[in-house]
Amino acid sequence: MDQEQRTPATVEVCTRAHLVTDADSGDTHRAVRVALRYSPESEVRIVVLNEDAPGWSLPREVLEQGMTAPAGSGTARVWPCGRVATVVEFHTAQGVAVLQFDSARLTRFLSRTQTTPTPVGH
């Protein structure tokens, strides 16, 4: 289900999420494949695969905190949605992007980022 790729300082997990929109087409809640990427030098990067979406970034700590209580930083907001889901919302000049994740998948991703070795020279 989830696929993981590691380099010494990077964690990347491909998983599923639901993209929630206010589209007039009626397709307001659809499953998408996303890549979650993290390296100690940068923020968590979320990219919807096979889409024209640019991808978004947020601090790792905001993602972790937002799984248990509402959290935010800059244009990103994260909050728990019931007991099994987490919502990640990004505000951009193009509008609002809302992704709903299975919390267990985000927990696995975050646990892998905690064990990422520190790059040489840091």
Side-chain angles (χ1 to χ4, degrees):
M1 198 152 39
D2 293 346
Q3 300 169 349
E4 176 185 358
Q5 298 174 358
R6 276 189 197 227
T7 62
T10 301
V11 174
E12 180 173 322
V13 173
C14 293
T15 191
R16 291 180 301 215
H18 284 91
L19 179 63
V20 182
T21 68
D22 58 358
D24 292 332
S25 65
D27 186 18
T28 60
H29 197 260
R30 61 187 171 98
V32 293
R33 294 284 298 163
V34 298
L36 301 169
R37 298 181 183 126
Y38 175 77
S39 68
E41 304 85 27
S42 65
E43 297 182 317
V44 171
R45 183 91 176 132
I46 300 175
V47 177
V48 178
L49 302 174
N50 301 320
E51 298 272 335
D52 290 332
W56 308 274
S57 297
L58 73 159
R60 184 197 174 286
E61 296 77 21
V62 170
L63 182 58
E64 186 172 40
Q65 292 167 5
M67 293 184 65
T68 57
S73 176
T75 61
R77 301 286 177 265
V78 183
W79 66 89
C81 182
R83 296 187 326 193
V84 298
T86 301
V87 173
V88 181
E89 178 181 89
F90 297 96
H91 294 259
T92 68
Q94 293 77 31
V96 178
V98 179
L99 293 161
Q100 183 176 332
F101 290 90
D102 179 333
S103 295
R105 293 174 193 222
L106 290 180
T107 298
R108 283 192 299 272
F109 169 72
L110 288 168
S111 70
R112 291 172 182 153
T113 67
Q114 291 176 341
T115 59
T116 300
T118 302
V120 176
H122 283 120

